[in-house]
Amino acid sequence: MAKIDIDKSKNEDHMKLLISRMQHRLDKIMLGGGANKIEKEHKQGKMAARERIEYLIDKGSYFFELGAFAGYEMYEEYGGCPAAGVIAGIGYVSGRQCVIVANDATVKAGAWFPITGKKNLRAQEIAMENRLPIIYLVDSAGVFLPMQDEIFPDKEHFGRIFRNNARMSGMGIPQIAAIMGSCVAGGAYLPIMSDEALIVEGAGSIFLAGPYLVKAAIGEDVDKETLGGARTQSEISGVTDYRMPDDQTCLDTIRSLIDKIGQFPKAGFDRVEPRPPMENPEEMLGFFPHEGNKPYKTEEILRRLVDDSKLTYYKHGYGKTILCAYARIDGWAVGIVANNREVVKNAKGEMQFGGVIYSDSADKAARFIMNCNQKKIPLVFLHDVTGFMVGTRSEHGGIIKDGAKMVNAVANSTVPKFSIVMGNSYGAGNYAMCGKAYDPRLIVAWPTAKIAVMGGEQAAKVLLQIQVAAMKAKGQKLGESEQEKLLQEITERYDNQTTPYYAAARLWVDAIINPLETRRIISLGIEAANNGIVEPFNPGVIQT
């Protein structure tokens, strides 16, 4: 193996800078529509969305926020949409893991943008996969009308929310909704399709059409309270189940309701007493290179991630550009599939590039994934992959066949899968390592992550060649300096689209995290998955 020079101090400084930048952006996002609008909520006797969640969850417990960067730098023409106008995540309520979804009324009155719908659907998906109770804290003006065509009619749009309400009810997954502000039009179905609905007096209202629309449609003059306030919907229509005097009482009542819910049978994933890594986890920051194309020892990252720093490697001397190992994370048994970033030498004496998937690596990983399914062991994928090996030798060796074998094993895997995008996640390598399209229970990114069909430098050169060829076909010609300028423009645009923020804004990943949070998030995810069901594993037809 080639000698690896690691500047741990520079790597650590770079990672801490990225973490600080991430936190600064998060701090701004958490203000929602701004301090003035939060104060306006308080004057109306309401808690802000994040305050409601903080009050609801068990004191001192961990809340894993999903999609905090959803909508980041999107919809600027409408003033932006911080966190997609809705806060979602997994938290502990009365000692029980729950999915919590809270509309943020400080962001366009909690109106639904296209990304808001996508985020709500992702929260419901997590509840359904893991059979977790879901709590909706409703305070929304409904669909954002200027973009209604991008959120209303399609399969994965607004209506899918209510379809999921019905499906979860059929699956026996508890749903509790609290109407703590506006709840209008189609959005009114969400709380009423839940198992139980609460409404806060003076703040909550629910109706299919508000006073203005009622006036326009049938000429009737009516105020909001009479039409669909707490008294109307609790005592006259019987639409809601609990009439609450204020936010605090409402949230206390939800805690009491969750406290009485029975348990599903557990999936049976193995867990022992958790033990911290023997190696200092903070050293991970120093081992991950500040330059994304530099080799490093992935094993050193793993030793700072798993309990007792103990790993049992599978086929360690074969297919060396992927590491497969059994280990424990916070006591949970896991199977780890990680891209090895060392430059290695195979049994034939041939050098193999780190982070590239070769035929032998894909073959090994596919077998390991099948073994984990056989033994009911959750899978953890750690991405830093530039793709599959290309060229004549690889094609003659059947790289497509071996790559398909790995993709097949990932796609048909029924044990829960968790993806951590540490660095590069390019092309088919993203698919083979359980990218978003392959249904990881959770997928998170480090601030160093890059997700794209290929690396920026290669992609920019390909795009430049295409553009130059198109101009040449029209009889136009670019000089060398003009080509360099165009290449720089293409590179900058493409690189911006590969950042973790671009991915998180579109919910290609659930969160951008501090690498030191990796253990806790994997553990939380497996705990949630242990409420779910593991179907029998059937890989279908796999070429050998």
Side-chain angles (χ1 to χ4, degrees):
M1 295 183 188
K3 185 178 183 297
I4 298 176
D5 294 317
I6 299 176
D7 189 336
K8 293 183 183 178
S9 178
K10 185 176 283 188
N11 290 344
E12 185 176 347
D13 287 346
H14 178 70
M15 183 68 85
K16 286 182 174 178
L17 177 64
L18 293 180
I19 293 168
S20 176
R21 186 179 300 161
M22 175 189 75
Q23 190 58 53
H24 176 73
R25 291 172 176 174
L26 275 174
D27 290 343
K28 187 175 180 181
I29 286 169
M30 288 181 178
L31 288 174
N36 290 340
K37 290 191 176 179
I38 292 173
E39 183 58 31
K40 185 177 178 181
E41 294 283 288
H42 291 164
K43 288 179 179 177
Q44 294 174 358
K46 296 166 62 177
M47 302 167 76
R50 291 185 183 278
E51 293 169 342
R52 287 169 175 167
I53 291 176
E54 186 177 355
Y55 186 92
L56 176 65
I57 63 175
D58 297 345
K59 299 298 177 254
S61 66
Y62 178 61
F63 178 70
F64 173 54
E65 184 168 351
L66 297 156
F69 282 101
Y72 180 71
E73 293 186 339
M74 296 170 65
Y75 314 118
E76 296 296 335
E77 66 273 33
Y78 299 113
C81 185
V86 61
I87 294 94
I90 301 172
Y92 294 85
V93 178
S94 296
R96 178 149 182 172
Q97 275 188 329
C98 297
V99 173
I100 303 169
V101 181
N103 300 114
D104 187 350
T106 70
V107 180
K108 297 289 188 296
W112 290 52
F113 285 71
I115 196 65
T116 315
K118 188 174 183 179
K119 185 170 175 178
N120 275 266
L121 288 172
R122 176 60 178 147
Q124 288 184 322
E125 179 182 42
I126 288 170
M128 293 168 79
E129 285 180 330
N130 300 294
R131 296 196 299 186
L132 295 180
I134 185 166
I135 300 166
Y136 307 100
L137 306 180
V138 184
D139 194 347
S140 171
V143 167
F144 186 62
L145 286 177
M147 303 189 76
Q148 64 86 25
D149 61 321
E150 296 182 46
I151 188 173
F152 172 67
D154 210 346
K155 180 179 178 180
E156 297 295 331
H157 283 178
F158 194 58
R160 189 80 170 183
I161 304 288
F162 317 127
R163 174 263 191 193
N164 287 349
N165 285 140
R167 290 295 299 268
M168 279 190 278
S169 183
M171 294 166 67
I173 297 170
Q175 300 175 82
I176 296 173
I179 302 156
M180 308 182 82
S182 296
C183 186
V184 64
Y189 287 106
L190 183 147
I192 308 311
M193 292 189 73
S194 298
D195 300 323
E196 295 180 281
L198 306 87
I199 187 167
V200 177
E201 196 164 2
S205 59
I206 178 169
F207 31 62
L208 290 181
Y212 293 120
L213 185 53
V214 168
K215 175 69 174 176
I218 63 173
E220 180 184 356
D221 284 306
V222 63
D223 64 83
K224 187 171 70 171
E225 280 298 311
T226 304
L227 184 63
R231 180 178 178 276
T232 294
Q233 301 294 26
S234 295
E235 298 180 7
I236 299 174
S237 70
V239 164
T240 56
D241 305 304
Y242 305 92
R243 180 180 173 186
M244 300 283 104
D246 52 42
D247 279 9
Q248 287 86 349
T249 307
C250 181
L251 297 169
D252 287 336
T253 303
I254 292 172
R255 289 181 56 81
S256 178
L257 294 172
I258 293 292
D259 181 57
K260 313 298 186 300
I261 294 173
Q263 298 284 343
F264 284 113
K266 300 300 181 186
F269 305 125
D270 188 66
R271 192 182 197 188
V272 298
E273 186 69 27
R275 296 178 65 89
M278 292 285 288
E279 305 289 348
N280 183 1
E282 294 199 10
E283 291 177 348
M284 275 198 297
L285 308 184
F287 276 102
F288 197 89
H290 64 279
E291 295 176 277
N293 58 351
K294 290 280 188 181
Y296 62 93
K297 290 181 178 290
T298 306
E299 291 191 32
E300 298 293 353
I301 302 286
L302 300 184
R303 284 167 54 79
R304 286 151 181 83
L305 182 64
V306 304
D307 290 16
D308 280 329
S309 299
K310 185 177 179 181
L311 297 120
T312 302
Y313 286 102
Y314 175 81
K315 293 184 184 287
H316 201 28
Y318 176 73
K320 295 180 182 179
T321 64
I322 286 184
L323 298 174
C324 297
Y326 299 107
R328 290 190 182 274
I329 293 178
D330 199 35
W332 295 104
V334 296
I336 294 174
V337 181
N339 301 114
N340 185 15
R341 285 307 306 265
E342 291 184 83
V343 177
V344 297
K345 189 180 291 187
N346 66 14
K348 298 176 183 178
E350 301 164 335
M351 299 305 295
Q352 294 184 332
F353 298 105
V356 178
I357 302 176
Y358 291 78
S359 285
D360 53 358
S361 305
D363 175 72
K364 175 175 81 171
R367 176 76 180 186
F368 180 73
I369 290 164
M370 289 188 279
N371 280 345
C372 287
N373 276 272
Q374 179 80 357
K375 296 188 280 189
K376 201 151 74 169
I377 299 174
L379 285 157
V380 175
F381 294 83
L382 297 168
H383 298 221
D384 196 351
V385 57
T386 53
F388 284 86
M389 191 58 189
V390 297
T392 305
R393 179 180 294 176
S394 292
E395 296 295 353
H396 289 184
I399 186 67
I400 296 176
K401 176 183 67 177
D402 290 315
K405 187 188 305 182
M406 183 176 174
V407 170
N408 187 311
V410 172
N412 283 304
S413 180
T414 57
V415 295
K417 299 166 290 191
F418 302 91
S419 284
I420 316 296
V421 186
M422 303 188 303
N424 303 319
S425 189
Y426 292 155
N430 171 274
Y431 301 158
M433 291 296 293
C434 195
K436 184 64 183 287
Y438 290 79
D439 298 322
R441 295 294 178 97
L442 293 175
I443 177 169
V444 298
W446 288 5
T448 44
K450 291 184 178 181
I451 301 173
V453 71
M454 65 178 73
E457 185 179 347
Q458 301 95 315
K461 288 178 179 177
V462 171
L463 291 168
L464 177 64
Q465 290 171 11
I466 292 170
Q467 199 156 337
V468 168
M471 295 179 73
K472 187 177 180 181
K474 296 177 182 178
Q476 300 171 342
K477 188 177 180 181
L478 284 178
E480 189 173 323
S481 62
E482 291 174 308
Q483 287 194 33
E484 288 179 3
K485 183 181 178 183
L486 183 56
L487 178 63
Q488 184 179 351
E489 290 174 358
I490 293 171
T491 302
E492 288 175 359
R493 184 172 67 248
Y494 191 90
D495 283 347
N496 179 61
Q497 294 176 356
T498 69
T499 69
Y501 297 100
Y502 193 90
R506 290 152 183 80
L507 289 173
W508 301 346
V509 296
D510 293 315
I512 306 172
I513 66 166
N514 182 329
L516 302 180
E517 292 287 291
T518 305
R519 270 175 59 87
R520 177 152 68 171
I521 289 166
I522 292 171
S523 176
L524 174 139
I526 299 176
E527 182 184 347
N530 204 31
N531 295 291
I533 298 171
V534 179
E535 301 290 348
F537 177 63
N538 181 0
V541 177
I542 292 184
Q543 291 188 341
T544 57

